[in-house]
Amino acid sequence: MRARVLGSAAGGGLPQWNCGCDNCVLVRAGDARVAARTQDSVAVSRGDRWLLVNASPDVHRQIEGFAGLHPWAARHTPIGAIALTNGDLDHVLGLLSLRESQPLVVLSTERVRAGLVERNAMLRTLARSAGQVSWQTLAPGKELVLEDVGVGVTAVPQPGKLPVHLVGLVEPSPEDNVALRIRDLVTSRTVAIATAVGSLDALDPLTRDVAALFFDGTFWSDDELVSLGLGQARARDMAHVPVGGPTGSLAALAGVGIERRVYTHINNTNPMLREDSPERAAVERAGWEIAHDGLEVVV
Ligand SMILES: [Zn+2]
Ligand SMILES: [Zn+2]
């Protein structure tokens, strides 16, 4: 089974249009120490049909940039399904770029589906014809089998938050934010993808017996945006456990015996993006990789 990172940045991408932080400035200057990155998405396959995990606002150029996702015929897509980990716009806006009357299979929890479809007139563009979008419910802990892609998908709820546009409209639920276990139906080798993890309390069912883990690398420190003067919210307020520090994910996951461990969904402010930074050195010393667009993990 192959897992290919289409986009390795958190919401906003790298560079982010309105950001002049050190990393964004270096990328614009063409500095070799930091590569540009598009917004979070991973494509998984065991053959020639693909499951997309999240539909990023950059999905159009992510598809064009990877021949495996190009159509085989005049009207066709090898994308067998799209699984959504939450309703944040950086994970779902790409759905609206995939209209063009193309039938789509979208997997999400019932909560994420309702948050997108109800009260949202624009989503009706994906309901032009009966069955244009076929929603399939990811019930937590229950594997959903995608025969054409050759994988089974299981949602594992993770502490998260409501998407910004639903705050105050609905009550939070454990199904607002999930990680996914994606199992090769032939070999049973499993990849876990967790791009928004608000606390480390629900790790065990996620990481048990996985061959590769893609994990929330949004922020290095809890006060990253505050200390840079870029915002008031702390990492944990935004449902992202920081990578560094004594209570960060790098320390908490130090003992897990997983062959490939990859940080992804990395915010443009995160110092570990810079190849010569001490933060990058610490991550690599611990056996982790930093995702870049195009990184492929084969399990
Ligand atoms: Zn995100
Ligand atoms: Zn920036």
Side-chain angles (χ1 to χ4, degrees), residues 122-144:
M122 275 201 288
L123 252 288
R124 298 180 67 221
T125 199
L126 295 177
R128 279 166 70 167
S129 56
Q132 182 180 355
V133 170
S134 139
W135 291 89
Q136 300 204 19
T137 304
L138 286 171
K142 187 163 178 286
E143 184 176 71
L144 197 154

Side-chain angles (χ1 to χ4, degrees), residues 138-144 152-156 179-183 206:
L138 286 171
K142 187 163 178 286
E143 184 176 71
L144 197 154
V153 183
T154 307
V156 183
L180 301 177
R181 288 174 60 97
I182 302 169
R183 184 177 69 88
L206 176 66

Side-chain angles (χ1 to χ4, degrees), residues 115-288:
L116 277 169
V117 171
E118 293 170 8
R119 300 186 254 219
N120 184 350
M122 275 201 288
L123 252 288
R124 298 180 67 221
T125 199
L126 295 177
R128 279 166 70 167
S129 56
Q132 182 180 355
V133 170
S134 139
W135 291 89
Q136 300 204 19
T137 304
L138 286 171
K142 187 163 178 286
E143 184 176 71
L144 197 154
V145 170
L146 298 172
E147 292 286 358
D148 66 330
V149 181
V151 301
V153 183
T154 307
V156 183
Q158 293 293 308
K161 61 165 185 53
L162 282 164
V164 171
H165 54 276
L166 292 180
V167 171
L169 294 180
V170 297
E171 287 301 311
S173 145
E175 292 190 26
D176 290 329
N177 182 59
V178 297
L180 301 177
R181 288 174 60 97
I182 302 169
R183 184 177 69 88
D184 184 317
L185 292 178
V186 174
T187 67
S188 273
R189 300 266 282 168
T190 300
V191 168
I193 300 177
T195 54
V197 178
S199 87
L200 298 168
D201 302 333
L203 281 184
D204 179 55
L206 176 66
T207 59
R208 197 183 311 141
D209 296 328
V210 299
L213 171 65
F214 293 86
F215 200 78
D216 185 345
T218 311
F219 297 110
W220 178 263
S221 53
D222 203 28
D223 67 347
E224 189 162 311
L225 295 182
V226 181
S227 64
L228 291 169
L230 299 178
Q232 300 304 313
R234 304 177 74 82
R236 285 186 170 88
D237 299 336
M238 290 179 276
H240 294 293
V241 169
V243 174
T247 58
S249 60
L250 195 61
L253 288 162
V256 298
I258 299 174
E259 296 164 35
R260 297 284 296 268
R261 288 161 282 155
V262 182
Y263 278 116
T264 192
H265 193 280
I266 308 165
N267 198 57
N268 55 76
T269 51
N270 192 323
M272 72 183 184
L273 285 167
R274 276 197 308 283
E275 287 178 8
D276 62 344
S277 68
E279 292 84 358
R280 167 64 78 81
V283 166
E284 291 181 342
R285 224 173 18 245
W288 283 77

